[in-house]
Amino acid sequence: MKIKHLATEKDTTDFAAQLATIIPSSTIIFLEGSLGAGKTTFTRGFLRALGVTSKIKSPTYTLVEPYEIAGKKIFHFDLYRLVDANELEQIGIRDYFAQEAICIIEWPEKGSPLLPAADIVCHITFAASGRKLSMQATSEKGEQILQRIT
Ligand SMILES: Nc1ncnc2c1ncn2[C@@H]1O[C@H](COP(=O)(O)OP(=O)(O)OP(=O)(O)O)[C@@H](O)[C@H]1O
Ligand SMILES: [Mg+2]
């Protein structure tokens, strides 16, 4: 388990950017935390670091937003609006995870049991000042990534 204090929004985007530079092309990241915790902010920092210049907004209604940059695929999921896990079947969830892509998933708890296991589970909570980020590796790949984070 790695814990980071993220005092400002910039700390969050900077940290996500650091993670983006070391992440392998097929990694599944769960982003947990309550409304306004900073999951989309984190994802924005991550995507910007990879070179995404277009507008980044949470795919709340569409459930997933695809990005392709410098030969890397990234799927950003936001499952907040999901009422029935079967909706995931309808969008062809399996096809997304079968690809060589980085998958970042906000509100993953809403998608279980149809989601695959994560490599890293990030949990953001409100702190007295800013946010606290807890990162748990849940696979061998996740372990290796967390070991490289400073
Ligand atoms: N240290 C911080 N890290 C991230 N966001 C912060 C921080 N401090 C303040 N903020 C603010 O908190 C808000 C986080 O919003 P964001 O949309 O990223 O949350 P979210 O977890 O994706 O929420 P939702 O569950 O609604 O999707 C932003 O307005 C951001 O500016
Ligand atoms: Mg969000």
Side-chain angles (χ1 to χ4, degrees), residues 89-101:
E89 302 269 26
Q90 281 155 27
I91 68 162
I93 192 77
R94 265 172 261 274
D95 296 342
Y96 288 99
F97 295 113
Q99 299 180 51
E100 187 171 310

Side-chain angles (χ1 to χ4, degrees), residues 5-13 31-44 58 60 76 78 80 106-107 124 126 129-132:
H5 179 238
L6 305 167
T8 63
E9 178 172 349
K10 187 172 183 297
D11 283 352
T12 299
T13 52
L31 276 185
E32 299 176 350
S34 53
L35 286 171
K39 302 178 295 296
T40 302
T41 301
F42 183 96
T43 306
R44 194 174 293 124
S58 214
T60 307
H76 176 206
D78 182 343
Y80 184 67
E106 295 187 43
W107 294 101
I124 308 174
F126 290 81
S129 66
R131 305 289 191 271
K132 187 180 99 173

Side-chain angles (χ1 to χ4, degrees), residues 1-4 6 30 120-125 132-136 146:
M1 172 95 90
K2 276 228 155 115
I3 296 179
K4 287 263 161 198
L6 305 167
F30 283 3
I120 298 172
V121 177
C122 295
H123 192 93
I124 308 174
T125 53
K132 187 180 99 173
L133 170 67
S134 311
M135 304 181 88
Q136 180 82 59
L146 287 199

Side-chain angles (χ1 to χ4, degrees), residues 28-139:
I28 299 176
I29 301 172
F30 283 3
L31 276 185
E32 299 176 350
S34 53
L35 286 171
K39 302 178 295 296
T40 302
T41 301
F42 183 96
T43 306
R44 194 174 293 124
F46 187 95
L47 290 167
R48 287 274 178 257
L50 291 178
V52 174
T53 53
S54 58
K55 193 167 178 242
I56 298 164
K57 55 175 174 54
S58 214
T60 307
Y61 289 95
T62 54
L63 300 179
V64 58
E65 187 69 38
Y67 297 89
E68 189 148 13
I69 186 96
K72 263 191 181 159
K73 275 186 195 162
I74 309 107
F75 296 125
H76 176 206
F77 294 85
D78 182 343
L79 305 183
Y80 184 67
R81 299 268 164 200
L82 198 71
V83 268
D84 182 343
N86 287 324
E87 281 177 60
L88 289 178
E89 302 269 26
Q90 281 155 27
I91 68 162
I93 192 77
R94 265 172 261 274
D95 296 342
Y96 288 99
F97 295 113
Q99 299 180 51
E100 187 171 310
I102 297 167
C103 293
I104 302 182
I105 308 168
E106 295 187 43
W107 294 101
E109 55 271 49
K110 305 237 181 192
S112 63
L114 286 184
L115 296 182
D119 295 299
I120 298 172
V121 177
C122 295
H123 192 93
I124 308 174
T125 53
F126 290 81
S129 66
R131 305 289 191 271
K132 187 180 99 173
L133 170 67
S134 311
M135 304 181 88
Q136 180 82 59
T138 46
S139 74

